[in-house]
Amino acid sequence: MRKLKRYGPPILLISPSLFLIGLFVYVLIFSSAQTSMTDIYTNPQFAGTRPHTFVWFTNFIDLLKDGDFQHSLKNLLLYTLVFITGAMFFGFLWAWLLDKRARFEGVFRSVFLFPMAVSSVAAGVVWRWLLNSNVGDRATGLNRLFQMVGLDFLENKWTNNISFGIVAVAIPAIWQMSGYIMALFLAGFRGIPTELREAARVDGANEFKLYRYVIFPQLSPVALSALIILGHMSLKVFDLIMAITGAKFYPTKVPAVDMYNLMTEGNFANAAAVGIILLLVVLVLIVPYLIHTARGDKR
Amino acid sequence: MAVDTSITQRSGDTGRIVGKRFDWGRPVRFIILLFFLIVVLIPVYVLLVTSFKGIGDAQAVRAWDLPQVWTLENWKSAWQGTPGLPAVAPALARTALMVVPAAIISSFLGSMNGFVLARWRFPYSNIVFTLLLFGMFIPYQAVMVPLYRLVLSMQTTLHLGVGIPSLIVLHVIYGIPITTLIFRNYYESVPQELIEASRVDGAGMLRTYAWVVLPISIPSFVVVLIWQFTSAWNDYLFAVYFGGNAASQAPVTVTLNTIAQGSMLANYGAAMAGALLASLPTLIVYIFLGKYFVGGLMSGSVKG
């Protein structure tokens, strides 16, 4: 009875949220998995006016065998690699440059971070102009800029390249997220106690050793968080592609875009299968991280 | 090298005289930073300049030039819409009607959850927290198909409106994990003695929450409200699935993308003006409340 009095109110207070998350996350994931194993390929089947049957993993096998979907997976991998590398590189570089007490530090920080406050759709509007694939006399956007500053050899077709078009989409993503990574690393740099650097100096560490043995180890938790955040974001990429090239552009499509097209066609079973595949990919990344941080919590 | 001296300056006690020698590192770093500053601002230049250009400036050669004649034509057509392209102004109003309630409701839910999970714990509350948090990490694609079915049925059985009302519900629900996380982290920094004192005085949970915890939660509320405001304002995924018609029901991201995809060949100007209009609210929040925006970023990232 006393327990009920003590624990009843908090459980009651949190139960609406628990119910909502339980339904909208857990039940729906389960339901998604269920739909992904059916043959609901048309709208009437989805509405329940036509029958459907259970087909086990047929949809998954078909998707993974399909060359078009493989192209999406390959694009996603390529995008993730370029995006993470780029954002980590510039984020770290800017933080490193700013950590040395640059003049107008606040201005630099604000400008580097501002793209994050802009929606991917708005960013997509201007980046589609910048990534215009015209070259030569008809060039606009970055290609024209390259001509103007004498870097003509950099002119290229951007998103119009069937194998590497997706890399062009990673550029605006790097533009948007590098400032965030900078903020993370800057907080990391500032969190390193001055005494630690001093001690290393007194012990005769040179610049290289200082970084290798003092600064990098101190920054590694930050780097890990940054990697997880970026990886997690990049696997969900959707907005930018919809804004820059649209839903029907083969060279730059990724699973999330495929899913949108499948759903608009009424192919709900395959759409759900794509969703589950994305979930599995994200889980591989997130679950170790969650376990890692949960362990850290207990200590 | 450059790096060397500044660290010497910072620690200050390695005995080297820094002031006498000119530190070349500083100007070099400054110039590199300035270069990146310009690169990052290039899209802003393009947006502004193109949005003021008229038809006469359409040649490729003049792509990077300032307008020959500055005109408000693009801004007008983006604001009011043109035949075939939806208007941004009503979309902005709809989006405001969506994000304000969504941000307020999910902040309160997050605050209550955070309080319970940090300072009024019950058996297995840590597991409950992890279960809630998981909702933040899933790709929403994993629930989209059944969610579509669920929202459709809520629209018919509960008379939930298509577009903005449906999106409010979704942003509130999927905002619970992040808002709970931010508030929980904040309340962990509130001394347990404060809560215990209130308990000893005979106050129950709700009274402790309302009179002791809520009044000191304002900084967290600002962070969470800004976070939710920005992410709901910029959302496109839910908007495109559940926003309905771009001209009359959907939030501004959908309207903007409709304009952008529609005006592709004709004229980028209207899309650019529309993009600036659509970004203005979040940019204003960023400029004036940037500190709290960064606070949200940090708490959203580094768990625990």
Side-chain angles (χ1 to χ4, degrees):
Chain A
M1 207 49 214
R2 278 194 45 204
K3 268 196 175 162
L4 185 72
K5 219 176 159 191
R6 185 175 167 89
Y7 298 129
I11 293 172
L12 215 60
L13 194 65
I14 205 172
S15 53
S17 296
L18 270 181
F19 168 76
L20 290 171
I21 293 295
L23 175 62
F24 280 80
V25 174
Y26 293 95
V27 174
L28 289 193
I29 287 178
F30 181 76
S31 167
S32 229
Q34 231 176 3
T35 308
S36 71
M37 290 186 246
T38 64
D39 64 348
I40 301 181
Y41 303 136
T42 57
N43 274 310
Q45 284 176 303
F46 185 68
T49 52
R50 284 280 169 82
H52 66 264
T53 52
F54 200 72
V55 297
W56 286 105
F57 297 105
T58 314
N59 295 320
F60 290 92
I61 295 164
D62 289 350
L63 270 174
L64 294 175
K65 274 203 233 154
D66 180 27
D68 285 0
F69 189 68
Q70 285 170 4
H71 176 69
S72 298
L73 288 174
K74 188 218 80 192
N75 273 348
L76 186 61
L77 181 71
L78 203 57
Y79 173 87
T80 303
L81 288 177
V82 175
F83 168 60
I84 291 184
T85 314
M88 289 296 276
F89 175 77
F90 289 110
F92 182 83
L93 178 67
W94 296 345
W96 181 71
L97 289 168
L98 282 175
D99 182 47
K100 318 279 182 184
R101 309 270 166 226
R103 202 181 276 241
F104 304 116
E105 184 197 314
V107 176
F108 284 118
R109 251 187 319 168
S110 307
V111 171
F112 290 155
L113 198 57
F114 102 90
M116 233 220 132
V118 178
S119 70
S120 298
V121 174
V125 169
V126 60
W127 278 95
R128 200 178 51 201
W129 187 90
L130 287 167
L131 299 175
N132 191 306
S133 62
N134 289 345
V135 291
D137 290 343
R138 291 174 55 236
T140 58
L142 287 179
N143 283 346
R144 171 68 61 181
L145 188 67
F146 289 152
Q147 289 177 12
M148 286 158 61
V149 296
L151 296 169
D152 303 48
F153 64 94
L154 283 175
E155 272 189 85
N156 69 85
K157 295 243 164 222
W158 302 112
T159 54
N160 252 349
N161 181 317
I162 193 129
S163 313
F164 297 104
I166 191 73
V167 174
V169 182
I171 298 170
I174 294 168
W175 175 76
Q176 279 202 294
M177 287 306 296
S178 294
Y180 180 34
I181 303 305
M182 171 206 71
L184 286 177
F185 273 122
L186 203 54
F189 271 120
R190 302 269 151 95
I192 299 173
T194 324
E195 297 80 45
L196 221 56
R197 297 186 193 227
E198 278 173 34
R201 288 259 158 233
V202 171
D203 289 348
N206 60 21
E207 203 56 38
F208 173 75
K209 281 188 174 160
L210 179 73
Y211 273 86
R212 171 70 184 78
Y213 294 109
V214 179
I215 298 191
F216 285 150
Q218 289 279 317
L219 287 179
S220 62
V222 177
L224 181 69
S225 303
L227 279 176
I228 297 287
I229 294 162
L230 290 175
H232 176 248
M233 269 186 167
S234 109
L235 294 174
K236 298 198 287 188
V237 61
F238 174 71
D239 308 15
L240 255 186
I241 295 174
M242 293 291 280
I244 294 179
T245 59
K248 302 285 184 194
F249 191 67
Y250 185 84
T252 58
K253 77 192 185 80
V254 293
V257 174
D258 284 334
M259 184 184 176
Y260 176 78
N261 287 326
L262 286 166
M263 257 177 96
T264 35
E265 288 158 18
N267 189 342
F268 290 93
N270 276 308
V274 174
I276 294 295
I277 290 173
L278 277 176
L279 177 69
L280 292 176
V281 176
V282 171
L283 283 186
V284 170
L285 187 77
I286 291 302
V287 167
Y289 179 69
L290 278 182
I291 293 170
H292 174 79
T293 42
R295 276 206 201 122
D297 255 12
K298 272 185 204 141
R299 253 181 251 138
Chain B
M1 281 267 305
V3 186
D4 197 339
T5 39
S6 70
I7 287 171
T8 315
Q9 277 170 338
R10 175 194 301 227
S11 45
D13 67 347
T14 43
R16 265 187 257 174
I17 301 160
V18 181
K20 292 276 168 67
R21 243 190 307 146
F22 183 68
D23 177 7
W24 281 100
R26 276 178 85 86
V28 170
R29 284 196 303 271
F30 189 79
I31 288 167
I32 299 174
L33 282 167
L34 207 61
F35 168 75
F36 282 119
L37 182 99
I38 293 167
V39 170
V40 169
L41 286 176
I42 283 176
V44 181
Y45 170 82
V46 169
L47 272 171
L48 277 172
V49 165
T50 315
S51 74
F52 288 110
K53 279 184 179 175
I55 311 288
D57 276 314
Q59 316 105 290
V61 203
R62 296 194 41 83
W64 288 86
D65 298 358
L66 290 172
Q68 282 171 318
V69 185
W70 294 72
T71 162
L72 284 173
E73 237 6 80
N74 297 319
W75 289 80
K76 227 195 256 167
S77 49
W79 184 256
Q80 303 169 337
T82 54
L85 291 182
V88 167
L92 285 173
R94 287 196 297 271
T95 315
L97 280 179
M98 170 182 84
V99 295
V100 172
I104 292 174
I105 298 170
S106 56
S107 299
F108 272 98
L109 281 175
S111 164
M112 295 191 304
N113 298 340
F115 163 65
V116 165
L117 292 172
R119 285 287 169 253
W120 209 281
R121 292 205 175 126
F122 50 89
Y124 303 113
S125 56
N126 273 340
I127 293 176
V128 166
F129 175 60
T130 311
L131 287 175
L132 282 182
L133 204 62
F134 180 71
M136 194 167 104
F137 292 109
I138 61 160
Y140 296 128
Q141 279 83 7
V143 294
M144 202 53 92
V145 169
L147 183 64
Y148 183 68
R149 194 190 330 241
L150 185 60
V151 171
L152 282 187
S153 75
M154 280 161 75
Q155 284 166 350
T156 48
T157 55
L158 302 173
H159 303 290
L160 181 68
V162 177
I164 301 306
S166 298
L167 287 169
I168 292 176
V169 171
L170 294 179
H171 284 303
V172 165
I173 292 170
Y174 291 106
I176 288 174
I178 178 80
T179 57
T180 302
L181 170 68
I182 297 177
F183 275 109
R184 176 182 174 271
N185 285 351
Y186 176 70
Y187 292 141
E188 297 235 291
S189 69
V190 173
Q192 180 75 33
E193 291 80 45
L194 204 67
I195 315 289
E196 285 306 325
S198 156
R199 250 184 193 177
V200 170
D201 289 347
M205 184 192 69
L206 280 182
R207 196 180 292 199
T208 306
Y209 174 68
W211 292 100
V212 179
V213 174
L214 261 191
I216 54 169
S217 306
I218 292 166
S220 266
F221 264 100
V222 179
V223 169
V224 170
L225 282 170
I226 289 174
W227 178 263
Q228 284 299 93
F229 176 89
T230 317
S231 50
W233 189 282
N234 289 343
D235 164 71
Y236 179 71
L237 181 65
F238 284 135
V240 75
Y241 277 105
F242 301 103
N245 186 322
S248 61
Q249 292 167 316
V252 72
T253 45
V254 173
T255 308
L256 178 60
N257 210 27
T258 308
I259 296 174
Q261 306 289 334
S263 61
M264 199 158 177
L265 295 169
N267 172 17
Y268 272 101
M272 301 272 186
L276 283 166
L277 286 169
S279 309
L280 227 51
T282 46
L283 280 181
I284 289 171
V285 166
Y286 175 68
I287 289 165
F288 289 102
L289 299 164
K291 198 176 74 181
Y292 298 99
F293 181 77
V294 176
L297 288 182
M298 292 302 169
S299 41
S301 66
V302 191
K303 197 204 92 69

